[in-house]
Amino acid sequence: MRSFVGKKKELFDFMRANDFPVYHASNIFYRDMQYAIRDYVRVHEGKDIGWRECEALAAPFVRDLEEKDVLRPFARNTWVLNDPAYLLPSEVQTTDETEAAEV
């Protein structure tokens, strides 16, 4: 794996499936991204990578998501996820119910 840039859905879905808190308007921490990348590579490529490689993969991935306004800087090494595709299930249901009531 040479890059995660452009693979947001793939990595975020992996993170959610592995109990990382990836939800719209939630905090995303840099260290969580690094752990997720390490675990993803371990599961999908069957090899362990070190922190230097995790950093080399995480930095451009985060930068790309910042440029696309998917991650909004909140604090040092912390972002807020701006992606309605990752709403909490109860929020999705409430939104669907609201839209149905408006019709």
Side-chain angles (χ1 to χ4, degrees):
M1 171 97 16
R2 294 290 176 219
S3 176
F4 280 88
V5 173
K7 297 181 180 176
K8 171 195 74 153
K9 180 170 176 26
E10 201 172 320
L11 186 63
F12 283 178
D13 288 351
F14 176 82
M15 290 174 75
R16 283 182 81 169
N18 289 280
D19 299 324
F20 286 90
V22 178
Y23 301 103
H24 175 69
S26 69
N27 290 343
I28 299 286
F29 301 99
Y30 195 71
R31 180 65 75 187
D32 286 343
M33 296 281 214
Q34 289 176 311
Y35 277 110
I37 287 170
R38 180 201 64 185
D39 294 348
Y40 184 94
V41 170
R42 182 179 291 154
V43 167
H44 290 92
E45 296 184 16
K47 68 177 187 174
D48 287 326
I49 60 173
W51 287 113
R52 286 185 187 166
E53 192 168 352
C54 286
E55 172 67 24
L57 293 169
F61 177 67
V62 168
R63 219 175 8 260
D64 179 60
L65 294 179
E66 275 187 24
E67 290 171 5
K68 293 177 179 171
D69 198 37
V70 173
L71 293 179
R72 293 180 176 169
F74 180 72
R76 185 172 183 263
N77 293 326
T78 308
W79 295 264
V80 174
L81 180 60
N82 179 38
D83 191 341
Y86 293 96
L87 286 170
L88 285 169
S90 61
E91 292 175 331
V92 171
Q93 183 179 16
T94 304
T95 303
D96 291 343
E97 290 170 359
T98 304
E99 289 174 2
E102 292 174 357
V103 174

